[in-house]
């Protein structure tokens, strides 16, 4: 096997720099560390990371890699679990220009580039009640490139709807830079001419395989199961056209045979009617017996949970009390049935209930179509993996293995795995999985900092692989891909003949062995024990991070500097280096780079916590780091807090000056706010009083100079609520009040707490100890104050108030023009997304919610001092809202950046409601 040089050839690096710009060429310590981490428990540091934005760049890089014999690894989202997206050579990371998608017909097919997130593809298809077949648990963060390259599946996918079996067409790039598009007849004909020898060899291999009855039987058996171990040998038995063979070999090849630059899927139905039920059996045997019966019924998902899985979530909020009381040997099935019509669903449920009656059950939650019920049931299943991750010992990692047993042996397989947990002391290990396919996930925690622990893991895995592959004839990787984790065991599972066939395919399609070497196939029997990723303690706020990457799509700095996962990875490495003293130079370089990449450009918006399976808010870490860094400014912060009204007045004066000098002042743009100098009308005694907690931004800022409605937010809010019968009352001395967020975001916690104490007392006085409700006009302020004030105070955010108390009392005349809606990070965390959509939909026939924008990145004042963060977060906004007449949101500072980068004016939702509300009911 070819060995690669320790250093990259200088000539290769120079050639790359000719067409990859500096901002997408990374060889510094922090970038190589950040990108050298995926969701697996392996780490390799790439020598070079390149963010590629076009197929032409991939072609050029593959040609150079062949010329200079440099290994290349492809990375999409980095959510893979088996070590297939890490390298110590060159890592090609998909940039943002791989997002194209094309729906065919009425959604029967969809053409996707590899950078499209799986959930985004389904969102496009939803109006047709269709979806892509694969449904991995990471679908909200993983990308199509990884879904196809790993042949990922999921809870409902089974084998029938995976990428291999729903592939309609593919565009790919081979090792030599040749592009083949199977939807383009010219491309196919040219490829047949240029690569006739390769296609002939593929045909020959397929013929030889089909002629080998024993090998064919093994392949058929393996792919009746869920199986992603090794290459997709069923391509050789199910297809005769070498083009079809080639494209299907690419599925599940983990970047070892070529690059997939587009795929066309045959989609599957997404039925609108669903019901779920939970059955608890007294033992594993009866549970698995039920699975074999359910296999022939109309069920879309059957999830098995062993007793340990149930125990891991029994203390979670919302769990039924009886979960704690089921017997020690109990085993549960969570069952879902879906249908195109309500009537069809009810027929299916009748049949299911009849079958269930034939089994002894300890507990049962009957099948329900109530979203509240079935969402609670699925919370049990989805909470199992993070429950193990959240309670693990700091410094250990969470490992989720992924095997398949033939369905008749499922009960025996579960029992034997449980025996191995006991034998090797994995007391926390749980088993759950996709029972219809015999696909089990088992989750356990493992430390790798002690040789004895590594040996324990190795001994355990040796027994697991023998059990699954040799004894039961199952698959060692059902849906997570072979990666580095199972590469040493591919021959054990497949046998010598199939294993050698895989090597022949590898040498045919990657003769230089430059494509992701040591992944899928390796001659290193110890590979699974090498380059194990350390998870050292760094800060209790983030020590439970499992580095899954689910947080990355919602992070506003993901395309500018670092993501939450990468921030935590870097902090862990810095902590390790600080404790060990191993490499002071590297520590210094990381510390210096982190100031901007990790600290300054973190919006600290908290959106990462909404996607994190263990609820980590990396913004909390950032604020803690800022508190340490900004200690010298505590006096200044305290002074500003004491004189907040004066500083607010200074900002107002600054806005006045800025507007007068707008034409000559650098950095001043049309979306900048004007100064708010408006006075509110006097109180109206016939209206119901509500205390108006106006944010500092709405008190100081009025709309931009060329606004379509120049009234201040305070004026519009007062006008609108009066139509619904409410009088907004602004108490005296509001200019001194603040929710504390401007101080909290900079780590000035003492000043923030002081302002919150002052605000608490001020509100108690002015609301008559909470007897008068309080209207907060800014979602960020409402979120900041959540749980911080006296419980007697009833603070209602503007969106909640508008939805609950105002909209029902208004007569709305919708406007015909589309309206763009930005759901701010604070509104998302306040669970206001649905309310915002319904409020906006009342005012327009078309609500446009831009894709891929969870946080605008303005982050209070960062939009002024670090405008590149806001620009990066909103880089694809303008194209998505060009048809809209206006935009709405619920945060004044967010609206500045949104207006600047969209080409339309964004204002608080009250402006739109007031415009469309002609009178009260």
């Amino acid at each position: 096997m070819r060995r690669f040089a320790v250093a990259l050839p200088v000539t290769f690096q120079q050639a790359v720099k000719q067409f990859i710009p500096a901002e997408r060429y990374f060889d510094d310590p922090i970038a190589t560390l950040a990108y050298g981490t995926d969701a697996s428990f392996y780490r390799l540091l790439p020598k070079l990371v390149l963010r590629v934005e076009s197929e032409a760049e991939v072609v050029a890089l593959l040609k150079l890699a062949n010329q200079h014999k440099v290994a290349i690894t492809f990375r999409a989202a980095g959510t893979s679990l088996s070590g297939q997206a890490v390298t110590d050579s060159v890592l090609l990371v998909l940039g943002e220009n791989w997002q194209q998608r094309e729906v065919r017909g009425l959604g029967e097919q969809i053409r996707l580039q590899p950078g499209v997130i799986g959930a985004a593809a389904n969102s496009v298809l939803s109006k047709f009640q269709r979806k892509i077949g694969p449904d991995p648990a990471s679908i909200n963060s993983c990308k199509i490139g990884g879904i196809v390259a790993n042949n990922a599946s999921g809870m409902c996918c089974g084998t029938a709807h995976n990428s291999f079996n729903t592939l309609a067409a593919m565009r790919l790039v081979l090792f030599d830079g040749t592009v083949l598009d199977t939807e383009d007849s010219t491309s196919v004909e040219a490829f047949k001419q240029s690569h006739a020898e390769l296609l002939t060899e593929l045909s020959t291999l397929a013929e030889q395989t089909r002629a080998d009855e024993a090998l064919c039987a093994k392949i058929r058996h393996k792919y009746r199961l869920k199986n992603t171990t090794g290459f997709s040998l069923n391509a050789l038995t199910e297809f005769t056209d070498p083009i079809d063979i080639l494209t299907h070999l690419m599925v599940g090849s983990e970047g070892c045979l070529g690059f997939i630059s587009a795929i066309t899927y045959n989609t599957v139905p997404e039925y609108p009617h669903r019901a779920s039920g939970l059955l608890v059996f007294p033992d594993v045997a009866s549970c698995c017996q039920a699975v074999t019966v359910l296999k022939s019924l109309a069920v879309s998902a059957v999830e098995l949970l062993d007793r340990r899985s149930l125990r891991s979530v029994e203390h979670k909020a919302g769990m039924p009390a009886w979960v704690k009381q089921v017997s020690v040997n109990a085993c549960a099935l969570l069952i879902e049935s879906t249908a195109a019509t309500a009537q069809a669903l009810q027929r299916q449920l009748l049949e299911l209930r009849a079958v269930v009656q034939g089994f002894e059950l300890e507990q049962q939650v009957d099948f329900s179509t109530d979203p509240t019920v079935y969402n609670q049931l699925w919370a049990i299943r989805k909470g199992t993996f993070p429950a193990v991750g959240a309670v693990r010992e700091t410094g250990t990692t969470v490992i989720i293995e992924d095997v398949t047993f033939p369905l008749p042996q499922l009960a025996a397989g579960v029992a034997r795995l449980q025996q191995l947990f006991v034998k090797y002391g994995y007391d926390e290990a749980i088993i759950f999985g996709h029972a219809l396919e015999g696909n089990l996930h088992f989750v356990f925690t493992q430390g790798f900092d002690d040789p004895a622990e590594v040996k324990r893991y190795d001994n355990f895995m040796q027994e697991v692989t023998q059990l699954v592959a040799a004894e039961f004839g199952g698959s060692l990787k059902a849906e997570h891909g072979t990666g580095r984790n199972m590469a040493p065991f591919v021959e054990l599972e497949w046998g010598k003949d199939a294993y050698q066939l895989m090597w022949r395919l590898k040498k045919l399609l990657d003769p230089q062995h430059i494509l992701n070497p040591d992944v899928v196939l390796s001659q290193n029997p110890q590979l699974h024990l090498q380059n194990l990723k350390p998870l050292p303690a760094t800060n209790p706020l983030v020590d439970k991070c499992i580095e899954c990457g689910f947080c990355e799509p919602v992070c506003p700095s993901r395309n500018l500097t670092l993501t939450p996962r990468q921030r935590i990875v870097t902090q862990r490495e810095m902590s390790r280096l600080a404790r060990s003293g191993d490499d002071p130079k590297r520590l210094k370089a990381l510390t210096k780079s982190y100031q901007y990449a990790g600290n300054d450009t973190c919006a600290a918006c908290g959106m990462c916590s909404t996607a994190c399976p263990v609820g980590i808010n990396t913004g909390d870490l950032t604020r803690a780091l800022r508190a340490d860094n900004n200690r010298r400014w505590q006096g200044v912060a305290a002074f500003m807090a004491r004189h907040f009204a004066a500083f607010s007045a200074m900002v107002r004066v600054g806005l006045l000056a800025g507007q007068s000098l707008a034409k000559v002042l650098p950095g001043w743009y049309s979306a900048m706010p004007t100064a708010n100098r408006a006075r509110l009308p006097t109180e109206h005694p016939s209206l119901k009083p509500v205390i108006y907690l106006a944010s500092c931004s709405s008190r100081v800022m009025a709309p931009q100079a060329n606004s379509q409605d120049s009234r201040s937010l305070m004026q519009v809010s007062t006008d609108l609520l009066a139509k619904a019968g409410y009088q907004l009352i602004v108490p005296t001395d509001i200019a001194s009040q603040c929710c504390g967020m401007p101080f909290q975001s900079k780590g000035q916690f003492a000043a923030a707490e002081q302002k919150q104490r002052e605000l608490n007392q001020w509100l108690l006085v002015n609301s008559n100890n909470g007897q008068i409700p309080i209207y907060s006009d800014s979602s960020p302020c409402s979120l900041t104050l959540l749980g911080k004030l006296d419980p007697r105070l009833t603070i209602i955010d503007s969106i909640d108030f508008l939805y609950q108390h105002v909209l029902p009392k208004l007569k709305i005349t919708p406007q015909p023009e589309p309206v763009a809606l930005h759901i701010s990070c604070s509104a998302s965390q306040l669970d206001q997304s649905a309310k915002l959509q319904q409020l906006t939909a009342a005012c327009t026939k078309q609500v446009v919610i831009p894709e891929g924008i969870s946080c605008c990145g303005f982050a209070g004042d960062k939009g002024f001092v670090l405008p590149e963060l806001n620009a990066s977060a909103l880089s694809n906004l303008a194209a998505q809202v060009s048809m809209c007449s206006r935009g709405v949101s619920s945060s004044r500072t967010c609206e500045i950046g949104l207006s600047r980068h969209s080409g339309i004016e964004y204002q608080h939702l009250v402006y739109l409601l007031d415009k469309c509300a002609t009178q009260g009911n």
Side-chain angles (χ1 to χ4, degrees):
M1 183 180 297
R2 184 179 302 280
R3 293 187 177 274
F4 295 98
V6 173
L8 294 177
V10 174
T11 49
F12 173 81
Q13 297 177 61
Q14 291 173 338
V16 169
K17 289 179 179 178
Q18 296 300 308
F19 59 93
I20 300 293
E23 62 268 21
R24 294 195 277 114
Y25 183 107
F26 308 102
D27 57 1
D28 57 288
I30 197 167
T32 53
L33 171 66
Y35 286 109
T37 298
D38 67 359
S40 73
F41 51 94
Y42 299 97
R43 173 176 294 145
L44 289 166
L45 295 182
K47 296 177 181 66
L48 180 61
V49 178
L50 302 172
R51 187 180 293 162
V52 291
E53 295 289 3
S54 70
E55 183 184 80
E57 290 178 351
V58 174
V59 168
L61 287 166
L62 284 172
K63 289 180 177 179
L64 281 175
N66 267 285
Q67 178 185 343
H68 295 279
K69 299 179 176 58
V70 170
I72 295 286
T73 293
F74 307 113
R75 162 80 70 88
T79 56
S80 51
L81 295 164
S82 301
Q84 54 265 64
V86 295
T87 180
D88 58 0
S89 183
V90 177
L91 184 67
L92 303 191
V93 179
L94 292 181
E96 287 299 296
N97 289 338
W98 298 89
Q99 303 286 332
Q100 292 182 22
R101 74 289 307 267
E102 177 192 349
V103 177
R104 308 275 177 81
L106 294 177
E108 296 92 351
Q109 287 189 341
I110 188 169
R111 176 86 157 179
L112 299 163
Q113 284 193 310
V116 177
I117 291 175
N122 284 340
S123 178
V124 173
L125 290 165
S126 62
K127 65 182 178 181
F128 302 104
Q129 294 187 4
R130 309 287 294 184
K131 63 180 179 178
I132 61 172
D135 61 333
S138 57
I139 197 164
N140 289 327
S141 51
C142 67
K143 298 179 179 179
I144 293 299
I147 291 174
V148 180
N150 290 299
N151 199 19
S153 47
M155 287 187 285
C156 302
C157 173
T159 55
H161 294 160
N162 62 21
S163 293
F164 186 95
N165 288 313
T166 56
L167 172 67
M170 183 182 289
R171 185 177 175 94
L172 59 92
V173 185
L174 289 184
F175 72 97
D176 58 1
T178 302
V179 176
L180 167 64
D181 188 341
T182 64
E183 288 190 334
D184 182 345
S185 58
T186 302
S187 173
V188 172
E189 289 306 313
F191 188 82
K192 287 179 177 179
Q193 295 295 320
S194 63
H195 287 69
E197 186 176 342
L198 182 149
L199 294 175
T200 298
E201 182 65 19
L202 280 178
S203 294
T204 300
L205 287 174
E207 290 168 4
Q208 292 172 351
T209 302
R210 290 192 295 271
D212 187 330
E213 291 185 8
L215 182 56
C216 270
K218 173 163 281 191
I219 293 171
R220 284 194 297 270
H221 166 71
K222 286 294 181 183
Y223 291 106
R224 277 195 291 266
L225 310 174
K226 268 191 179 182
N227 185 10
T228 60
T229 307
F231 294 133
S232 300
L233 294 184
N234 50 338
L236 300 172
T237 59
E238 295 185 25
F239 300 95
T240 55
D241 186 325
I243 297 291
D244 287 333
I245 294 171
L246 175 59
T247 57
H248 285 82
L249 280 171
M250 293 291 290
V251 176
S253 65
E254 301 178 33
C256 297
L257 303 180
F259 176 81
I260 300 167
S261 56
I263 182 173
T264 303
Y265 274 118
N266 292 316
T267 63
V268 301
E270 172 70 316
Y271 294 125
H273 299 277
R274 65 186 62 242
S276 294
L278 181 69
L279 313 179
V280 182
F281 297 81
D283 52 54
V284 172
S286 59
C287 182
C288 293
Q289 183 184 355
V291 173
T292 61
V293 177
L294 291 169
K295 180 79 172 175
S296 62
L297 301 181
V299 289
S300 57
V302 177
E303 292 292 292
L304 180 147
L305 299 100
D306 73 348
R307 179 64 184 95
R308 288 182 175 188
S309 292
L310 295 172
R311 188 177 295 119
S312 72
V313 296
E314 65 185 17
H315 295 98
K316 298 288 185 181
M319 292 299 113
W322 57 257
V323 174
K324 298 178 183 179
Q325 300 163 2
V326 297
S327 66
V328 67
N329 295 316
C331 193
L333 293 179
L334 175 56
I335 304 169
E336 180 176 84
S337 183
T338 60
T341 67
Q343 294 80 4
L345 179 61
Q346 289 304 317
R347 288 194 296 271
Q348 292 167 193
L349 294 183
L350 283 173
E351 187 176 12
L352 281 169
R353 289 185 178 109
V355 168
V356 167
Q357 287 179 356
F359 290 90
E360 178 188 352
L361 299 175
E362 283 194 16
Q363 291 285 349
Q364 176 181 4
V365 177
D366 191 24
F367 291 96
S368 175
T369 58
D370 183 349
T372 302
V373 175
Y374 63 64
N375 286 337
Q376 184 186 46
L377 294 178
W378 283 99
I380 297 176
R381 161 63 178 86
K382 293 176 181 178
T384 52
F385 175 50
V388 175
V391 300
R392 78 185 194 277
E393 183 181 344
T394 299
T396 63
T397 191
V398 180
I399 296 177
I400 177 168
E401 284 298 348
D402 167 46
V403 300
T404 303
F405 291 103
L407 203 54
Q409 282 83 48
L410 182 60
V414 172
R416 293 285 296 280
L417 283 175
Q418 290 173 332
Q419 291 170 14
L420 287 178
F421 296 157
V422 174
K423 179 177 180 179
Y424 288 99
Y426 291 112
D427 299 330
E428 76 294 337
I430 64 173
I431 297 175
F432 59 86
H434 318 316
L436 286 178
E437 309 299 331
N439 176 196
L440 299 179
H441 301 306
F442 54 97
V443 181
F444 58 101
T445 64
Q446 176 69 55
F448 289 124
D449 55 355
D450 180 352
E453 279 293 291
V454 176
K455 182 62 176 173
R456 176 175 73 131
Y457 169 72
D458 185 28
N459 290 340
F460 172 66
M461 289 307 298
Q462 293 292 343
E463 288 212 42
V464 167
T465 55
Q466 285 291 332
L467 170 71
V468 175
E471 187 173 343
F472 283 91
S475 56
L476 295 171
K477 284 295 180 184
E479 55 186 8
H480 292 170
T482 309
R484 299 171 180 279
N485 183 225
M486 284 298 161
F489 304 101
V490 174
E491 186 173 9
L492 171 68
E493 175 172 332
W494 276 97
K496 182 179 178 180
D497 291 346
Y499 185 61
Q500 291 303 317
L501 177 57
M502 291 181 191
W503 272 111
R504 289 179 67 182
L505 290 167
K506 172 69 171 175
K507 291 170 183 175
L508 176 64
L509 294 169
D510 181 20
Q512 296 272 32
H513 203 70
I514 63 166
L515 298 178
N516 219 4
D518 270 342
V519 168
V520 179
L521 300 180
S522 176
Q523 295 175 352
N524 179 356
Q526 298 297 305
L527 184 70
H528 64 300
L529 303 176
Q530 297 170 357
N531 302 301
L532 299 169
K533 179 168 62 180
L535 290 176
T538 183
N539 189 303
L541 292 169
V542 298
D543 280 339
K544 297 302 181 185
C545 174
I546 55 179
E547 300 184 5
C548 63
F550 286 11
C551 57
E552 295 190 337
V554 299
C555 178
S557 62
R558 65 187 182 275
N559 298 320
L560 178 65
T561 50
L562 298 179
T563 66
R565 168 169 64 174
Q566 293 170 338
R567 288 183 169 93
I568 295 171
V569 165
T570 307
Q571 281 293 317
R572 283 174 164 164
E573 178 68 358
M574 290 162 62
S575 295
R576 184 190 71 81
L577 291 172
R579 282 193 292 267
S580 67
D582 284 350
D583 192 340
K585 183 178 179 181
R586 176 174 168 79
L587 175 59
K588 183 178 180 180
L590 289 173
T591 303
K592 181 180 179 181
S593 297
Y594 191 85
Q595 181 58 44
Y596 177 78
N599 193 334
D600 294 347
T601 54
C602 176
C605 61
M607 282 304 294
C608 47
S609 67
T610 67
C612 176
V614 292
I616 291 172
N617 185 341
T618 311
D620 290 340
L621 172 66
T622 296
R623 284 184 284 269
L625 295 173
R626 289 172 183 170
D628 290 338
N629 294 342
N630 298 339
R631 290 184 189 276
R632 66 186 183 278
W633 299 106
Q634 287 180 349
V636 175
F639 181 82
M640 292 180 66
R642 290 194 303 271
H643 302 89
F644 196 78
F647 278 93
S648 297
M650 289 171 61
V651 173
R652 190 178 289 109
V653 171
L655 290 175
L656 286 168
Q659 287 297 338
S660 64
L661 300 172
K663 292 183 179 180
V664 296
L665 195 63
W668 199 271
Y669 44 87
S670 61
M672 291 289 278
T674 57
N676 181 12
R677 295 182 289 176
R679 293 181 178 274
L680 293 181
T682 57
E683 295 183 18
H684 199 297
S686 65
L687 300 178
K688 185 176 181 179
V690 177
I691 301 299
Y692 188 0
L693 177 57
S695 69
C696 53
S697 60
S698 60
R699 298 194 307 258
V700 171
M701 300 175 186
Q704 62 192 52
N706 59 348
S707 174
Q708 53 190 310
D709 189 336
S710 61
R711 292 175 297 165
S712 72
L713 176 58
M714 297 177 72
Q715 289 177 296
V716 180
S717 299
T718 302
D719 293 345
L720 176 64
L721 266 67
K723 293 178 182 179
Y726 297 98
Q727 170 71 59
L728 283 178
I729 300 170
V730 182
T732 57
D733 197 31
I734 192 173
S736 299
Q737 305 307 316
C738 174
C739 69
M741 185 179 61
F743 301 99
Q744 179 178 293
S745 66
K746 295 169 180 59
Q748 297 295 344
F749 299 133
E753 290 168 4
Q754 176 60 33
K755 294 310 294 180
Q756 288 168 2
R757 286 193 296 270
E758 293 174 8
L759 178 63
N760 186 73
Q761 186 59 37
W762 182 81
L763 287 172
L764 283 171
V765 170
N766 286 287
S767 69
N768 195 13
N769 289 323
Q771 293 187 29
I772 305 175
I774 301 158
Y775 174 92
S776 170
D777 71 359
S778 174
S779 294
C781 297
S782 303
L783 181 64
T784 301
L785 293 173
L786 195 64
K788 301 283 182 64
L789 303 182
D790 192 303
R792 290 175 291 174
L793 296 171
T794 304
I795 297 183
I796 308 174
D797 181 73
S798 60
I799 300 306
D800 295 320
F801 197 96
L802 294 171
Y803 181 81
Q804 296 165 11
H805 303 292
V806 175
L807 184 63
K809 299 178 180 180
L810 298 178
K811 181 179 179 181
I812 302 291
T813 303
Q815 67 172 51
E817 299 87 2
V819 173
L821 169 61
H822 173 69
I823 302 171
S824 69
C825 48
S826 49
S828 293
Q829 292 170 77
L830 289 169
D831 198 24
Q832 295 175 335
S833 298
K835 294 175 184 177
L836 275 162
Q837 292 180 57
Q838 291 179 51
L839 286 164
T840 310
C843 300
T844 177
K845 296 179 180 178
Q846 184 179 355
V847 181
V848 177
I849 303 177
E851 180 187 318
I853 301 174
S854 299
C855 171
C856 70
F858 207 91
D861 61 358
K862 282 197 180 296
F864 299 123
V865 298
L866 283 174
E868 64 269 30
L869 175 60
N870 184 227
S872 177
L874 300 181
S875 60
N876 65 346
L877 174 62
Q880 298 189 68
V881 300
S882 60
M883 76 297 292
C884 297
S885 61
R886 64 194 302 162
V888 295
S889 185
S890 59
S891 168
R892 181 65 189 96
T893 52
C894 294
E895 292 148 17
I896 299 170
L898 291 163
S899 299
R900 181 183 187 185
H901 295 289
S902 67
I904 61 174
E905 184 183 10
Y906 275 77
Q907 291 182 306
H908 194 287
L909 182 58
V910 296
Y911 284 85
L912 179 63
L913 278 167
D914 188 59
K915 176 186 176 184
C916 296
T918 54
Q919 65 183 59
N921 288 330

